[in-house]
Amino acid sequence: MAGNVTVVLGDEESVYSGKRAVVQPFSTEKSEQIWNVEEERKEHSNPTTFSELLGLNELFSLQVWKASVAELVGTAVLVFAIDTIVISSYETKTNVPHLIMAILISITVAILLLASYPVSGGHINPAITFSAALVGIITLSRAVIYIFAQCVGAVLGALALKAVVNSTIEDTFSLGGCTLTVISPGPNGPMVVGIGMAQGLWLEILCTFVVLWASVWMAFDHRQAQALGSVTVLSIVGIVVGLLVFISATVTGAKGYAGAGMNPARCFGAALVRGGHLWYGHWVFWVGPTIACVAFYLYTKIIPRQHFHTVGYKHDFINIVKSLST
């Protein structure tokens, strides 16, 4: 998992599968055949018990924890980079800060996904991890490990940013974190500017769902992932994220709101390190994406099966629920 791997998109694997890829060991031809047969047997075996469906054995798997390091590092770099982009976009006093921010975020997300997916599946976002667990690409146990790693990485990324920026920028731009409102100087003293919690919640739900539906969907669907290739799929994910940041920040027209977070871990890192008003409405950045993930999962269940090509997704949430009644 943590070594050199070869991911075959569309062949029992997905960009966001998070599963161990097919590894070709440096050995004799006979041992390679034995290895491949064993791996194929494991891939096609169906979980029969509740603990297997949850993947509880992965909680104690060294390989899974090693893979989660890629999620930790990827999320740390993501938080440092995106929060820096947010600060820089507004600090440069350009007339189009939202556009510049969206373009840079698109490029950054695409690069980091490409860097991390061969090891862990390239999630670096609890929303993607949770949706992958619901669909059954990864187990709930692996999802818990990944989300924990992502949150730790987000905190480390925010700490790294705090260490390199001066206190004035940190206070002015809230360390580039996710905000609904900020306190701004007004004609009659300090005033609160931004958007309300309800508006912020709807933006998180809608934007996260669009990310899953318009881009991550391609990675989950074996047919599309294989036809397009990993570079194209992950680049599309980055572009969609950037577009939604631009749209959500522009459509509100509210100062103090830098756009939809769509990544609970990123919002958590800055809030824990910076504190203060970043905790105001912080639940919005978790509840919104969670609702979007559930909505996306229900969508995959409603559409005709021939339009969602999946192979070997054995940990589907409905299968887990069914196992409780048997």
Side-chain angles (χ1 to χ4, degrees):
M1 180 72 71
N4 296 326
V5 297
T6 303
V7 177
V8 183
L9 297 179
D11 181 18
E12 300 264 308
E13 293 289 332
S14 169
V15 172
Y16 290 114
S17 67
K19 295 179 181 178
R20 181 169 58 186
V22 179
V23 181
Q24 298 296 338
F26 296 99
S27 58
T28 64
E29 182 178 352
K30 182 176 180 180
S31 63
E32 289 181 358
Q33 293 174 351
I34 295 174
W35 173 278
N36 290 331
V37 170
E38 179 65 17
E39 287 299 305
E40 185 176 358
R41 184 188 66 79
K42 291 179 180 178
E43 286 293 327
H44 290 282
S45 61
N46 293 318
T48 56
T49 66
F50 182 64
S51 63
E52 289 177 344
L53 285 168
L54 292 178
L56 296 181
N57 61 305
E58 291 193 329
L59 293 174
F60 310 97
S61 171
L62 183 60
Q63 294 292 351
V64 174
W65 283 98
K66 284 182 177 180
S68 71
V69 174
E71 292 295 309
L72 187 152
V73 174
T75 309
V77 176
L78 178 75
V79 168
F80 181 86
I82 289 186
D83 289 358
T84 302
I85 289 170
V86 172
I87 294 173
S88 302
S89 299
Y90 290 104
E91 181 69 7
T92 53
K93 306 298 182 182
T94 178
N95 293 327
V96 286
H98 294 161
L99 180 60
I100 293 176
M101 180 173 63
I103 293 173
L104 294 177
I105 287 176
S106 295
I107 296 172
T108 301
V109 170
I111 292 174
L112 292 178
L113 289 177
L114 284 167
S116 60
Y117 97 86
V119 180
S120 63
H123 299 199
I124 60 176
N125 185 340
I128 293 177
T129 300
F130 184 50
S131 63
L134 289 176
V135 172
I137 300 175
I138 63 174
T139 66
L140 286 175
S141 296
R142 183 184 291 254
V144 170
I145 294 173
Y146 276 13
I147 292 174
F148 171 75
Q150 291 158 2
C151 290
V152 173
V155 173
L156 294 177
L159 286 172
L161 181 60
K162 180 181 176 67
V164 299
V165 300
N166 60 52
S167 58
T168 301
I169 291 180
E170 179 185 344
D171 294 337
T172 303
F173 298 99
S174 303
L175 207 62
C178 305
T179 59
L180 295 177
T181 61
V182 295
I183 299 176
S184 177
N188 299 317
M191 58 183 294
V192 177
V193 295
I195 63 174
M197 288 189 186
Q199 188 178 6
L201 179 62
W202 275 111
L203 283 168
E204 288 297 320
I205 294 172
L206 294 173
C207 290
T208 305
F209 179 82
V210 172
V211 168
L212 296 172
W213 177 77
S215 57
V216 177
W217 165 273
M218 299 178 188
F220 287 178
D221 189 312
H222 289 294
R223 179 190 57 180
Q224 295 188 70
Q226 186 177 34
L228 296 174
S230 60
V231 175
T232 300
V233 170
L234 297 177
S235 297
I236 291 174
V237 173
I239 291 171
V240 172
V241 170
L243 283 173
L244 290 171
V245 169
F246 175 75
I247 292 171
S248 60
T250 305
V251 73
T252 60
K255 294 182 178 180
Y257 179 66
M262 297 176 285
N263 188 328
R266 173 186 164 251
C267 300
F268 173 75
L272 188 65
V273 173
R274 179 70 177 86
H277 73 282
L278 287 179
W279 287 117
Y280 173 77
H282 179 72
W283 63 271
V284 166
F285 300 106
W286 285 91
V287 175
T290 300
I291 294 175
C293 290
V294 174
F296 173 74
Y297 174 68
L298 293 176
Y299 171 78
T300 65
K301 291 300 176 185
I302 293 173
I303 63 172
R305 297 306 301 166
Q306 64 267 28
H307 297 303
F308 186 32
H309 293 71
T310 60
V311 179
Y313 290 0
K314 300 170 291 189
H315 302 279
D316 186 286
F317 183 73
I318 288 181
N319 291 338
I320 295 176
V321 174
K322 287 180 179 178
S323 71
L324 293 175
S325 59
T326 59

